[in-house]
Amino acid sequence: MVFRYYPMVLQSVLAFKEYNLLGGVWGSPWVGLDHFRYIFSDPEFYRILQNTVIISLLRLSMGFIPPLILSIFLFDLRSGMLRRISQTILYIPHFFSWVIMYGIVFAMFSKLGLINQLIQVLGGEAVDFFMSSDWFRPILVGSAIWKEIGWGTIIYLAGLSMVDQTLYEAAKMDGAGPLRRLWHITLPGIRPIIVFLLTLSFGNILYAGGEQILLFYNPATYDVGDVIDTWVFRQGLNNLQYSLATA
């Protein structure tokens, strides 16, 4: 009641008030639906909502298949030691904070980073990836996939281990190749897990990874990178419009 529900009630009330530090939440004046009218009448809100949905869909569509493919590759490795080493290497980025991940990505894609050095060695001109609206989303989604691809394989590997191995042996005896075994045994065997994870992923359609974007974006990429979480952060903490941000 104290740490879960009361803060929810407090925030719900705050959205209908004009917050001031002296009065606090309960002592601030009521303004009704003024904040909501402002939000839905502001053209910037629809751009932010569009960015949120686009980035969320990109993260979902581009990040859903790689863990599935990778888990099948790992499952088919004959060497148990190689499988364990590969899994460990792939899991490591999941345990890095986004601050560390940003440092690694910045070292790769900054104006003086490794990628630009290679481009210049090959005779090209350096590209300022972090200031480019065209490159912001690919870098954002690509780094998110890299961070979570190893962790995403855990559930699929668990599901693959439950598939009856005698089915593979029977398929081999009938002359089924690797692709046919994949299509007729592996994928149907883990179909419930695929559907379950996909359904859960749609529940985060309005979460575009605000913590990551706060580190990666800048005013030059607001047009493609500003999402609901980052807008709320700027309005609530930077501009001190607590009630508007809460709404």
Side-chain angles (χ1 to χ4, degrees), residues 28 41 53 67 79 95 100 105 107 109 130 136 140 169-171 175 205 214 230 239:
S28 300
S41 63
V53 173
S79 172
F95 298 100
I100 295 175
V105 174
F109 290 96
F130 282 95
F136 177 78
L140 191 78
E169 297 173 4
I205 200 65
L214 280 172
T230 56
N239 298 337

Side-chain angles (χ1 to χ4, degrees), residues 113-183:
L114 179 62
I115 301 299
N116 272 319
Q117 290 181 20
L118 292 175
I119 292 175
Q120 290 174 332
V121 168
L122 296 174
E125 294 185 3
V127 180
D128 198 345
F129 293 102
F130 282 95
M131 299 296 290
S132 171
S133 297
D134 295 332
W135 283 102
F136 177 78
R137 287 174 181 170
I139 291 176
L140 191 78
V141 175
S143 57
I145 293 174
W146 174 42
K147 187 176 189 296
E148 300 298 339
I149 188 171
W151 190 254
T153 61
I154 292 178
I155 297 178
Y156 289 121
L157 284 172
L160 288 169
S161 65
M162 300 298 292
V163 178
D164 189 356
Q165 298 301 304
T166 59
L167 295 175
Y168 292 102
E169 297 173 4
K172 287 180 182 179
M173 293 179 63
D174 289 339
L179 292 180
R180 281 191 173 275
R181 295 197 299 271
L182 171 66
W183 184 256

Side-chain angles (χ1 to χ4, degrees), residues 3 7-8 11 13 16 23 62 68 76 96 114 132 135 154 156 163 168-169 184 192 196 200 203-204 230 245:
F3 295 106
M8 291 170 61
Q11 292 300 303
V13 171
F16 299 96
M62 302 298 291
L68 175 60
D76 285 338
F96 290 162
L114 179 62
S132 171
W135 283 102
I154 292 178
Y156 289 121
V163 178
Y168 292 102
E169 297 173 4
H184 293 289
F196 176 71
L200 288 180
N204 292 324
T230 56

Side-chain angles (χ1 to χ4, degrees), residues 27-55:
S28 300
W30 292 91
V31 293
L33 297 173
D34 285 359
H35 297 306
F36 295 94
R37 294 192 186 97
Y38 172 82
I39 290 171
F40 288 107
S41 63
D42 185 4
E44 184 183 13
F45 171 76
Y46 295 96
R47 177 180 61 81
I48 293 168
L49 181 61
Q50 181 183 28
N51 288 339
T52 303
V53 173
I54 289 174
I55 293 176

Side-chain angles (χ1 to χ4, degrees), residues 72-112:
I72 294 173
F73 286 161
L74 291 173
F75 185 75
D76 285 338
L77 281 177
R78 294 184 179 180
S79 172
M81 180 177 292
L82 180 59
R83 183 188 300 115
R84 288 191 294 271
I85 293 173
S86 301
Q87 286 177 289
T88 301
I89 294 173
L90 291 167
Y91 293 164
I92 287 175
H94 170 79
F95 298 100
F96 290 162
S97 69
W98 271 118
V99 176
I100 295 175
M101 292 297 296
Y102 173 76
I104 297 172
V105 174
F106 185 82
M108 296 289 291
F109 290 96
S110 67
K111 198 71 177 292
L112 300 176

